[in-house]
Every structure is written in structure tokens, then in C-alpha cells.
Amino acid sequence: MHRQVRGASKMGLDIAFILRVLVFPGFTFILLFTMFCDWVERKIEARMQNRMGPTYTGPLGVFQPLADCVKLLTKEDIVPFNVKEFAFKFAPILSFSIFVFSFVFLPIDGANIVFNSNFEGDLIIVLTLVSIANFFLFLSGWSSFNPYSAIGATRVLTQFLGYDIPLFILALAPAFLAKSLSFSVIAADQDVPFAFIIPWAFVLFIITLQAELEKDPFDVPHAETEIVGGYETEYTGRRLAFLKLAKDVQIVLGAAIAVELFLGGPYGPTFYGPSALWYTLWFTLKLLVVVALTEYLTCVFARLRIDQVLAVNWKVLLPFAFLSLAAAVGVGLWFNLLR
């Protein structure tokens, strides 16, 4: 009898674990929220360009990203002759999977998707996973044997290798204030969001994130007027769907990292009911603010040339990232003296 009770309890825990990983706040929530953010971006861009944007598929066109994804998944999947087949076929889905997996280390409803999966150093792990996923995006273009894809892939590699350095350095500023390299500790340590304590680091982080996400003015890897679709040029059907989903999830992941490091993560006032509900609400609202901000910057600024993109990285952002970290260290030491 005792063994049966223990077995039932274990099964209950397993079902809760599976629901948490696959439904909320795991895979299904991340995927649907990514599509909602895509709709928000399209609406903002359309508004800035005096267009209507998605309108007819669902209320206010909110289901348009889902319809686009389903359409691509059902289209014919063509593998061009003479491509590097393994990289061409699997790079899109590997990139998408790594971006989604990175969410495991972020607290969304006040806890990680997998309970107690946070550890000292998960900040470094997530930033490394983002670099690896970007490398698979490079491989998707490199494997195509198309000159447009090759140029797009080269630009992806050039850009993410350069901008990863200031992104890592800027991410260390809130880590130093919280004295931890864990997202959970950094988010929980912000009685006042770090964006207000070290605003220069937040501004530089958003600019660097814009380059990491390949959004204007740093969208040279897929500049359609120069290189058609860049690394996406030869892709069709479900593989193109996964490439586009990978980019959309990357945008949400980048905004989520900014929320955890500078805006207090999911934490905020709770009133009545379960605290996890309020934490999820605060997380989604903050993330939408960052997504809207990055999309606004995308609409306002024109695309830079590749040489200008590199010059901004090495001559402006990198020196300012070091100065920002030094200033954050000074602020941290000053706070320690006041305590």
C-alpha cells in the first residue's frame, strides 16, 4: 500500500514536470508568446510605416504569425543540388532548439522551467548557448553553395564574433552588482531595477543586443536589397519555417535576458492569488516593453554598411563596454561603503 502511494506521488510529480516543460512556462508558452511578440513587432513596424499590418487572421490579425508558420510547414521542402546536406538540413532546427533550451535557465514565473536548475554561472552558459546557436545560423548559409547565402553567412559570423565580446562585458555589470553569475540571483537582487542604477550599461546593452539580433541598423546579414535573403536564400518549406522561428525565438530570448539583468526579471508587486501568476504577468509586460523598444529602434534607424557595423563595434561599443563595467564596479563599491 505504502509503495502504491509513493508510486502515485511520483507519477504526480512526473506529470507536473512534463506539463511544466512542455506546456507552461515551457515549450508551448515560449512558442506561442514568440508568435505574439512577432505580431506586436509587425504591428509596430506597420504603424511606423503608415500601413495596417496583420489584420484579417484572427482578432486584429494576431494569428497571422501562426498561419505563416503553418503555411511554411506544409509547403514543399526542396534541398538544392550540391549543398552540404547534413549542415543544410539540421542547422535550422538545431539553432531553434538551442535558443528554446536557453529559456530553461531563466526564471519566468518566479522559478526556472525545471525547478532548481539554476546554478552559479548559468549566465555564462546562456550567453555561450546563444553564440553556438548563432554559429548554426552561419552553417545554414555556409552549407548552401549560393553566393548570397555565403555572403550572408560570412556577415553573421563577422557580426556575432565581434558583438559577443561587448555583450558579455555588459552582462557582467549587473552580475557584479548582484555578486552572482546566476540569472535567478541577479533578478531577485533588484529591489530597484539595475536599469535605473546603471542606466548607461542598460542603454549600451540594448544597442549591442540590437546588433546580436541582426536588427536595424545592424541587419546586414540579410539585407534584402544587397544579398536577397542572405543565409535564408536557398531554404524553403519546413526548414525555412525553423530558420524564421529560430530568429523570432532569439529576439524574445534577447529581450528576456535584458529583463532578467536590468529590469528585475519576473519580480514585482503581488496582490492576491498565486504569486506565480503575478510574476508571469510582470515578466511578459517587461519583455513586451523591451521588444517594442528594439522594434522602435529598428524602424527609426537606417541600415549601416558592413564596414560601419564593424567600426561601431570595435571603436565605439567595445571601449564603452569596458568603461561601463568599470563604472558599474565603482557604483558597486560605493554601495558597499554605504551599507
Side-chain angles (χ1 to χ4, degrees):
M1 181 67 182
H2 180 64
R3 182 175 296 176
Q4 288 178 348
V5 171
R6 287 185 60 188
S9 173
K10 187 173 185 300
M11 182 178 292
L13 285 175
D14 288 343
I15 290 174
F17 173 77
I18 291 169
L19 287 175
R20 195 167 171 81
V21 171
L22 295 182
V23 182
F24 181 83
F27 180 75
T28 306
F29 172 74
I30 292 168
L31 191 62
L32 294 179
F33 188 55
T34 295
M35 292 184 180
F36 180 74
C37 289
D38 185 30
W39 173 78
V40 170
E41 286 183 312
R42 291 194 199 186
K43 276 293 188 185
I44 292 173
E45 187 171 352
R47 188 69 177 172
M48 296 284 285
Q49 297 171 350
N50 201 22
R51 296 186 289 110
M52 292 176 65
T55 304
Y56 300 107
T57 312
L60 299 176
V62 71
F63 295 140
Q64 188 62 53
L66 178 62
D68 291 343
C69 184
V70 172
K71 182 185 74 175
L72 283 176
L73 289 173
T74 54
K75 276 193 167 184
E76 182 183 4
D77 187 38
I78 300 172
V79 178
F81 177 72
N82 211 24
V83 299
K84 292 180 172 65
E85 281 201 26
F86 185 81
F88 186 85
K89 289 181 177 177
F90 292 101
I93 193 166
L94 286 173
S95 178
F96 169 74
S97 303
I98 292 171
F99 281 132
V100 173
F101 176 70
S102 300
F103 277 93
V104 169
F105 302 102
L106 306 182
I108 294 176
D109 60 346
N112 291 47
I113 293 174
V114 178
F115 288 125
N116 300 322
S117 63
N118 60 304
F119 59 91
E120 194 63 39
D122 54 19
L123 168 65
I124 303 299
I125 294 293
V126 169
L127 294 178
T128 305
L129 286 174
V130 170
S131 298
I132 294 172
N134 272 323
F135 185 72
F136 280 112
L137 290 179
F138 155 75
L139 284 181
S140 66
W142 168 79
S143 62
S144 297
F145 274 113
N146 179 300
Y148 295 123
S149 302
I151 294 172
T154 306
R155 289 183 176 186
V156 168
L157 191 64
T158 306
Q159 191 159 313
F160 90 76
L161 285 178
Y163 281 85
D164 268 5
I165 300 170
L167 194 75
F168 266 76
I169 295 169
L170 290 165
L172 291 178
F176 183 84
L177 291 184
K179 300 176 182 174
S180 172
L181 289 172
S182 169
F183 276 110
S184 298
V185 176
I186 294 171
D189 195 57
Q190 299 180 51
D191 296 328
V192 177
F194 288 157
F196 297 111
I197 297 176
I198 47 174
W200 59 86
F202 178 63
V203 171
L204 289 170
F205 189 86
I206 291 294
I207 295 172
T208 310
L209 187 64
Q210 199 80 355
E212 192 77 11
L213 300 177
E214 300 164 17
K215 301 183 78 172
D216 272 330
F218 305 100
D219 68 331
V220 289
H222 47 84
E224 68 276 2
T225 53
E226 302 172 17
I227 52 173
V228 193
Y231 54 83
E232 295 177 356
T233 303
E234 291 289 350
Y235 279 91
T236 60
R238 60 178 180 271
R239 292 190 179 86
L240 180 59
F242 276 111
L243 264 184
K244 291 192 175 297
L245 278 175
K247 289 304 302 173
D248 291 339
V249 173
Q250 185 189 19
I251 290 170
V252 177
L253 176 63
I257 292 173
V259 167
E260 303 288 356
L261 293 179
F262 291 97
L263 298 176
Y267 302 108
T270 58
F271 301 100
Y272 55 85
S275 57
L277 182 66
W278 289 102
Y279 291 152
T280 306
L281 178 66
W282 288 121
F283 180 80
T284 53
L285 289 177
K286 292 175 185 177
L287 197 149
L288 284 172
V289 169
V290 176
V291 167
L293 176 62
T294 57
E295 187 59 27
Y296 179 79
L297 295 174
T298 299
C299 296
V300 168
F301 291 100
R303 179 184 305 129
L304 297 173
R305 297 193 313 266
I306 183 67
D307 61 309
Q308 292 171 328
V309 168
L310 297 177
V312 168
N313 176 46
W314 296 108
K315 295 181 180 177
V316 179
L317 278 179
L318 189 58
F320 275 103
F322 279 113
L323 290 175
S324 168
L325 180 60
V329 170
V331 170
L333 293 174
W334 183 60
F335 278 153
N336 286 337
L337 290 175
L338 293 179
R339 289 173 182 170

